[in-house]
């Protein structure tokens, strides 16, 4: 070493065993980071950005779920007593009559009976609903009659659970009689923690089946048959594995003034006002927008159309004794055994692997592995900077090295009943831009799966609750469950139930729905274009109208005289038979007496209206409809009832050149309001910000600037840039509190007055 000037003892000390080990360690770390193909040194720039965001996030990192969580099967179900006092399955009076007919079973337009294990049976209406009261007013009714007002479905379900208690973990409990003990309360009055976490609870192996209804709902016989059959078949025949609950929207946003949270007497009055039949009172829970506003103050819209799962989130918080929560609707119908059907849906979801579950959910019953080259778009959590995931770490880093075993046998956290679409692909989804609380806005990965008939796990609902309470994160109803599940890396499944189409031979229509399938997809994740034909001819779709025609013809009532019988129904032995499927939606038709009355009134009213239109005063009202405000007896200056915040809106008046006074409002962008809740209100405050944008909103005919459906439009305007877009709205002359009478010339003058005010 002398030739390098390193021969002295002082320099030899540099080459001890310790320094050699340190040098070797540095080399290994360098290789792992910069040379290994999957090492951090080979992260793409966007991955580094995400990593930096995660490192900068100082929030408490939540506990992650275990990678594998397969629960053992429960022991055999013990029979429970039904409404006639007999053990179900031991009396024909309580039995659902299903049969196999000697005919070819129909082939679904999408989905599969065989792969889901759904029985290929048929039912007649009497055989389906006879046990639940259909036909009991007929002389040939052969079953034991029931006084339904004396039936207590809550007590029957609790007795069933007690008979099966040995099958469940010790954490499982009965469901309280809600007429005596309801847990919901306003946030500042609650005895429950604001936030609860998944690891605080052990599995109970019980699922709540929640049916949404509302104050003023007209419970017709077919609705009662549906509810009774659901409780008996899914609740009682499951041996207590399911608990049916009615969740009633009190619709306080429609003028219901009883504050049900004010006292126990007020809540009991609410139960009376809800008009729930006595047999279901003990399983009924009430909610209203007042409750949701107290829990989610950072969210301005709470109605069902936008946030249908908020009451479900509170259910998970207040009733954590359930592992999962089904959300069903009053306008759906199981034409076969409801309990068996839901069991098959659950089992199909349980048997699905996590790998490519999102891809399978984005196509109708098609193989997706080849289109994804053995990989998947959702392997662990989808990275969203505001979300700290609770889902498990994948067993291997590269999904191509996994053999479709991970997740098999595990309960799904999110089950959808229809296929999912990517909100970031070209589409005409009405709610595409309705997303708040996320930095990436509309670029955030989201998936919507209409309708919102879905099942969510307790952990999933609890993290949605936390995100909405603490951060104000929200997406529309039909995107909430699948999107949050993917962001947290929780198991998503779409068991592809059988669906039929009215136009079964329309190949072109099917092609437009299929859009080439996975082979034509450039990503392997749904079609490249999310637009598809409308679905009124489907048996299960949010806008279907064929479903109700099938149901009522099967029930013995033709909705349209002279129309052919739906091809899906079979006429055998003088009875109409239906296959084992779900129908949705099945809306109430007009009753015959209502239809006749409506027709008579309509004919008289038609000619009377034509006579009025010969008078100029009535001509103006017919054209502009300015007398129809829908805000009668309301103070439109109380902007909270629009879904806006008090200091977010500044009312002021504009005077037109011809002397009319127009009522106007300036609406602050939401984020700007949040930064300055005590903002000095001034109608031209935007002029202080060179980056500000100004939208002038001139509404259409009828109603006022404060009418119910217009406030979502205001929020949509500033949603794109929630800290920059200001909005000014006016009521034309003659509308709301503006003076004058509308006319073509007058409305043009009003619009010019507003524009000149904005520009000067």
């Amino acid at each position: 070493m002398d030739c390098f000037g390193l021969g002295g003892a002082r320099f030899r000390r540099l080459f001890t065993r310790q320094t050699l080990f340190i040098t070797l360690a540095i080399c290994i770390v360098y290789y792992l980071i910069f040379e290994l193909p999957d090492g951090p040194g080979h992260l793409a720039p966007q991955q580094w950005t995400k990593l930096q965001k995660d490192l900068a996030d100082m929030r408490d990192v939540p506990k992650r779920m275990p990678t594998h969580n397969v629960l053992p099967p429960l022991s055999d179900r013990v029979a429970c007593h039904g409404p006639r006092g007999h053990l179900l399955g031991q009396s024909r009076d309580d039995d659902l009559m299903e049969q196999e007919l000697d005919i070819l079973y129909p082939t679904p337009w999408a989905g599969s009976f065989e792969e889901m294990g759904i029985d290929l049976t048929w039912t007649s209406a009497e055989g389906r609903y006879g046990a639940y009261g259909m036909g009991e007013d007929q002389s040939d009714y052969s079953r034991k009659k029931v006084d339904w007002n004396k039936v207590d479905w809550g007590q029957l379900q609790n007795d069933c659970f007690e008979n099966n208690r040995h099958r469940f973990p010790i954490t499982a409990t009965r469901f309280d009689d809600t007429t005596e003990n309801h847990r919901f309360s306003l946030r500042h009055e609650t005895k429950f923690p604001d936030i609860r976490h998944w690891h605080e609870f052990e599995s109970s192996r019980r699922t709540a089946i929640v049916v949404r209804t509302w104050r003023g709902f007209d419970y017709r016989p077919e609705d009662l048959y549906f509810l009774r059959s659901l409780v008996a078949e899914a609740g009682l025949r499951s041996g207590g594995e399911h608990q049916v609950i009615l969740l009633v929207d009190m619709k306080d946003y429609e003028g219901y003034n009883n504050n049900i949270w004010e006292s126990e007497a007020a809540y009991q009055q609410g139960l009376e006002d809800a008009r729930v039949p006595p047999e279901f009172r003990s399983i009924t829970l009430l909610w209203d927008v007042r409750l949701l506003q107290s829990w989610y103050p950072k969210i301005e819209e709470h109605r069902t159309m936008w946030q249908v799962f908020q009451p479900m989130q509170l259910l998970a918080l207040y009733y954590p004794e359930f592992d999962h929560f089904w959300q069903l609707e009053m306008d759906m119908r199981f034409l076969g055994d409801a309990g068996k059907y839901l069991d098959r849906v659950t089992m199909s979801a349980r048997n699905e692997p996590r790998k490519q579950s999102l891809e399978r959910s984005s196509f109708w019953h098609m193989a997706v592995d080849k289109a994804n080259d053995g990989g998947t778009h959702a392997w662990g959590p989808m990275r969203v900077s505001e979300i700290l995931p609770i889902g498990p770490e994948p067993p291997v880093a590269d999904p191509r090295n996994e053999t479709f075993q991970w997740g098999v046998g595990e309960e799904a956290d999110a089950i959808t009943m229809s296929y999912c679409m990517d909100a970031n692909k070209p589409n005409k989804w009405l709610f595409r831009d309705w997303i708040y609380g996320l930095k990436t806005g509309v670029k955030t990965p989201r998936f919507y799966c209409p309708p919102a008939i879905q099942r969510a796990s307790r952990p999933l609902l609890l993290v949605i609750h936390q995100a909405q309470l603490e951060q104000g994160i929200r997406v529309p109803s039909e995107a909430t469950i699948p999107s949050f599940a993917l962001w947290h890396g929780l198991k998503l499944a779409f068991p592809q139930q059988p669906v039929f189409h009215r136009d079964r031979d329309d190949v072109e229509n099917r092609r437009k729905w299929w859009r080439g399938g996975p082979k034509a997809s450039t990503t392997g994740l749904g079609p490249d274009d999310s637009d598809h034909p409308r679905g009124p001819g489907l048996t299960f779709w949010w806008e279907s109208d064929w479903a109700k025609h099938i149901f009522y013809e099967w029930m013995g009532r033709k909705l349209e005289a002279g129309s052919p019988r739906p091809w899906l129904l079979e006429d055998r032995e003088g009875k109409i038979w239906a296959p084992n499927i779900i129908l949705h939606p099945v809306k109430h038709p007009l009753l015959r007496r209502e239809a006749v009355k409506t027709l008579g009134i309509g004919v008289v009213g038609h000619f009377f209206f034509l006579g009025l239109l010969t008078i100029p005063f009535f001509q103006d009202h017919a054209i502009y409809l300015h007398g129809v405000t829908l805000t009668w007896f309301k103070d439109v200056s109380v902007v909270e009832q629009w879904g806006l915040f008090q200091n977010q809106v500044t009312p002021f008046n504009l005077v037109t050149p011809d002397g009319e006074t127009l009522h106007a409002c300036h609406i602050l962008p939401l984020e700007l309001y949040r930064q300055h809740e005590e903002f000095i209100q001034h109608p031209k405050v935007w002029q202080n910000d060179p980056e500000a944008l100004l939208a002038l909103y001139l509404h259409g005919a009828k109603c006022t600037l404060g009418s119910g459906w217009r406030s979502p439009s205001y929020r949509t305007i500033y949603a794109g840039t929630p800290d920059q877009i200001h909005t000014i709205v006016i009521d034309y002359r003659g509308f709301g509190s503006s003076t004058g009478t509308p006319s073509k010339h007058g409305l043009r003058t009003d619009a010019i007055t507003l524009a000149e005010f904005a520009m000067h």
Side-chain angles (χ1 to χ4, degrees):
M1 292 189 180
D2 289 342
C3 63
F4 294 100
L6 298 175
R10 182 166 59 90
F11 295 98
R12 286 197 297 270
R13 285 198 295 269
L14 292 173
F15 292 92
T16 63
R17 281 181 294 180
Q18 288 87 347
T19 57
L20 289 174
F21 278 124
I22 292 173
T23 304
L24 180 61
I26 292 173
C27 292
I28 292 173
V29 170
Y30 177 88
Y31 174 78
L32 291 175
I33 293 177
F34 296 104
E35 300 300 328
L36 196 66
D38 293 327
H42 288 267
L43 287 173
Q46 63 268 28
Q47 291 174 300
W48 272 116
T49 301
K50 292 171 183 174
L51 182 60
Q52 290 163 0
K53 286 181 180 178
D54 291 342
L55 290 173
D57 197 331
M58 301 304 292
R59 290 174 289 168
D60 291 337
V61 177
K63 185 176 180 179
R64 301 287 291 272
M65 291 179 163
T67 299
H68 300 288
N69 186 29
V70 177
L71 298 174
L74 294 172
S75 59
D76 292 342
R77 295 168 174 173
V78 176
C80 297
H81 289 88
R84 294 174 174 82
H86 306 304
L87 287 174
L88 296 178
Q90 297 184 10
S91 170
R92 180 187 177 280
D93 290 346
D94 295 308
D95 284 348
L96 157 68
M97 304 297 183
E98 297 176 294
Q99 294 189 27
E100 294 183 3
L101 301 182
D102 188 21
I103 56 176
L104 186 66
Y105 213 73
T107 300
W109 178 83
S112 171
F113 288 97
E114 291 78 9
E115 290 193 18
M116 287 193 60
I118 297 174
D119 296 335
L120 303 181
T121 54
W122 300 81
T123 56
S124 65
E126 188 281 329
R128 175 72 186 91
Y129 289 138
Y132 309 111
M134 183 177 181
E136 62 185 2
D137 57 342
Q138 304 296 319
S139 59
D140 60 349
Y141 186 70
S142 59
R143 304 173 193 252
K144 180 182 177 181
K145 293 185 178 180
V146 177
D147 184 349
W148 296 104
N149 286 331
K150 293 183 179 179
V151 172
D152 184 342
W153 290 106
Q155 186 62 49
L156 286 173
Q157 290 186 94
N158 279 332
D159 290 344
C160 182
F161 169 73
E162 293 296 344
N163 290 340
N164 285 267
R165 181 183 283 274
H166 63 280
R167 303 175 54 233
F168 297 98
I170 194 171
T171 52
T173 61
R174 58 189 285 139
F175 183 70
D176 295 332
D177 183 334
T178 55
T179 62
E180 300 174 357
N181 182 16
H182 55 89
R183 302 180 195 172
F184 281 175
S185 62
L186 300 179
R187 184 184 176 195
H188 67 276
E189 298 175 351
T190 188
K191 299 178 182 178
F192 286 76
D194 282 1
I195 302 296
R196 310 187 84 172
H197 303 284
W198 70 269
H199 51 81
E200 297 176 28
F201 307 101
E202 298 292 333
S203 173
S204 69
R205 310 299 298 275
R206 300 197 74 200
T207 295
I209 298 176
V210 183
V211 183
R212 293 193 301 107
T213 180
W214 56 91
R215 176 181 58 83
F217 182 81
D218 180 15
Y219 292 90
R220 297 185 180 180
E222 58 266 32
D223 302 309
L224 300 179
Y225 306 154
F226 163 64
L227 289 175
R228 292 166 186 165
S229 63
L230 185 64
V231 180
E233 295 159 10
L236 303 181
R237 291 184 184 271
S238 73
E241 292 173 31
H242 297 121
Q243 167 75 42
V244 178
I245 301 170
L246 263 62
L247 194 59
V248 180
D249 177 1
M250 295 304 291
K251 291 199 169 187
D252 51 328
Y253 48 84
E254 291 187 354
Y256 181 66
N257 295 320
N258 176 27
N259 181 358
I260 60 176
W261 315 112
E262 191 172 47
S263 66
E264 183 59 28
Y267 189 90
Q268 294 300 324
Q269 182 60 51
L271 279 174
E272 292 294 327
D273 296 340
R275 292 172 49 192
V276 174
E279 58 190 289
F280 303 110
R281 291 280 178 90
S282 63
I283 57 172
T284 296
L285 285 172
L286 309 181
W287 68 275
D288 60 12
V289 168
R290 187 182 290 106
L291 175 70
L292 303 182
Q293 287 172 336
S294 77
W295 276 100
Y296 305 112
K298 294 184 178 181
I299 295 176
E300 75 280 3
E301 183 59 79
H302 304 278
R303 287 175 295 177
T304 298
M305 181 178 180
W306 305 91
Q307 290 294 288
V308 70
F309 286 102
Q310 283 187 346
M312 299 288 284
Q313 294 156 206
L314 293 180
L315 262 177
L317 183 73
Y318 280 98
Y319 293 88
E321 57 262 40
F322 298 108
D323 289 351
H324 300 273
F325 297 81
W326 270 111
Q327 177 171 269
L328 305 186
E329 299 184 4
M330 284 297 299
D331 60 358
M332 61 186 297
R333 298 289 183 265
F334 295 87
L335 300 189
D337 188 308
K340 289 182 180 178
Y341 201 102
L342 289 176
D343 279 348
R344 297 299 184 270
V345 170
T346 301
M347 184 178 299
S348 179
R350 185 186 302 131
N351 291 336
E352 276 201 40
R354 290 176 181 261
K355 181 176 173 177
Q356 296 178 356
S357 63
L358 176 58
E359 290 82 0
R360 291 190 298 274
S361 299
S362 64
F363 292 101
W364 287 103
H365 197 61
M366 299 178 186
V368 298
D369 187 46
K370 186 175 180 181
N372 287 276
D373 296 322
T376 181
H377 291 76
W379 193 242
M382 281 189 171
R383 297 298 180 185
V384 175
S385 62
E386 292 83 357
I387 299 296
L388 297 178
I390 64 168
E393 293 285 356
V396 296
D398 189 339
R400 292 170 295 181
N401 297 330
E402 202 273 334
T403 58
F404 294 95
Q405 296 302 308
W406 185 36
V408 174
E410 297 180 7
E411 293 291 343
D413 291 281
I415 298 179
T416 73
M417 295 295 282
S418 190
Y419 86 112
C420 301
M421 289 163 277
D422 187 344
N424 290 335
K425 289 187 176 182
N427 65 78
K428 297 177 182 176
W429 187 36
L430 179 64
F431 309 111
R432 182 181 184 276
D433 296 329
W434 201 86
I435 177 172
Y436 299 92
L438 298 167
K439 296 175 184 176
T440 48
V442 295
K443 296 181 180 179
T444 306
R446 290 160 295 144
F447 293 83
Y448 58 103
C449 317
I453 297 174
Q454 298 168 0
R455 194 190 82 169
S457 68
R458 177 180 57 236
L460 176 54
L461 290 171
L462 288 179
V463 293
I464 300 172
H465 163 77
Q466 182 176 3
Q468 295 207 331
L469 171 60
E470 296 182 341
Q471 300 167 274
I473 297 174
R474 64 272 197 201
V475 291
S477 297
E478 56 210 31
T480 299
I481 296 300
S483 297
F484 271 93
L486 292 165
W487 297 342
H488 279 274
L490 300 175
K491 184 177 177 181
L492 169 73
F494 165 37
Q496 304 228 355
Q497 61 161 331
V499 176
F500 292 85
H501 200 290
R502 175 173 50 204
D503 305 316
R504 54 179 168 174
D505 298 324
D506 190 340
V507 177
E508 181 62 18
N509 178 273
R510 179 178 294 194
R511 186 189 66 78
K512 291 178 180 178
W513 275 95
W514 264 232
R515 286 157 288 170
K519 293 181 180 179
S521 172
T522 57
T523 63
L525 179 58
D528 291 343
D529 188 337
S530 291
D531 285 339
H532 54 74
R534 296 190 62 188
L538 296 174
T539 53
F540 191 92
W541 190 248
W542 65 273
E543 61 176 343
S544 170
D545 66 0
W546 194 43
K548 69 180 181 182
H549 286 273
I550 296 171
F551 179 76
Y552 282 104
E553 180 116 2
W554 177 66
M555 291 284 286
R557 178 182 176 187
K558 185 178 287 292
L559 297 185
E560 294 181 2
S563 62
R565 184 179 69 242
W567 68 265
L568 197 55
L569 302 177
E570 290 288 339
D571 188 349
R572 290 288 186 277
E573 302 173 357
K575 294 182 179 180
I576 303 297
W577 300 83
N580 189 6
I581 61 173
I582 301 180
L583 297 176
H584 171 74
V586 178
K587 302 295 185 183
H588 285 167
L590 284 174
L591 298 174
R592 285 186 174 87
R593 61 180 180 274
E594 293 174 343
V596 172
K597 181 179 178 181
T598 301
L599 178 62
I601 293 174
V603 171
V604 174
H606 174 73
F607 288 103
F608 180 72
F609 182 69
L610 289 177
L612 290 178
L613 289 182
T614 62
I615 304 172
F617 173 81
F618 291 107
Q619 289 177 2
D620 288 343
H621 276 271
I623 294 171
Y624 301 110
L625 297 174
H626 53 290
V628 181
T629 69
L630 298 187
T631 52
W632 296 293
F633 311 113
K634 291 184 179 181
D635 183 356
V636 295
S637 65
V638 181
V639 298
E640 289 88 342
Q641 63 189 344
W642 310 2
L644 299 171
F645 298 97
Q646 182 178 5
N647 292 334
Q648 188 183 1
V649 179
T650 302
F652 62 99
N653 291 326
L654 290 176
V655 179
T656 65
D658 55 353
E660 301 296 351
T661 300
L662 307 181
H663 179 215
C665 287
H666 166 233
I667 303 172
L668 279 173
L670 184 59
E671 292 304 321
L672 187 60
Y673 158 76
R674 285 179 175 159
Q675 296 166 17
H676 308 278
E677 291 193 18
E678 301 301 326
F679 213 95
I680 298 175
Q681 295 187 327
H682 188 279
K684 288 192 175 183
V685 72
W686 72 84
Q687 292 180 339
N688 299 325
D689 180 6
E691 301 296 325
L693 302 173
L694 179 63
L696 305 182
Y697 187 99
L698 300 167
H699 65 66
K702 76 179 178 181
C703 303
T704 72
L705 56 80
S707 297
W709 68 89
R710 290 198 168 118
S711 54
S713 300
Y714 308 152
R715 294 194 292 274
T716 300
I717 290 172
Y718 61 63
T721 312
D723 59 348
Q724 290 184 328
I725 302 180
H726 298 248
T727 307
I728 293 184
V729 299
I730 65 166
D731 271 332
Y732 295 111
R733 62 186 64 201
F735 285 78
S737 58
S738 297
T739 63
T741 302
S743 66
K744 183 177 179 180
H745 174 74
L747 267 60
R748 185 185 299 114
T749 300
D750 298 344
I752 293 173
T753 300
L754 175 60
E756 289 182 344
F757 167 81
M759 292 186 295
H760 296 95

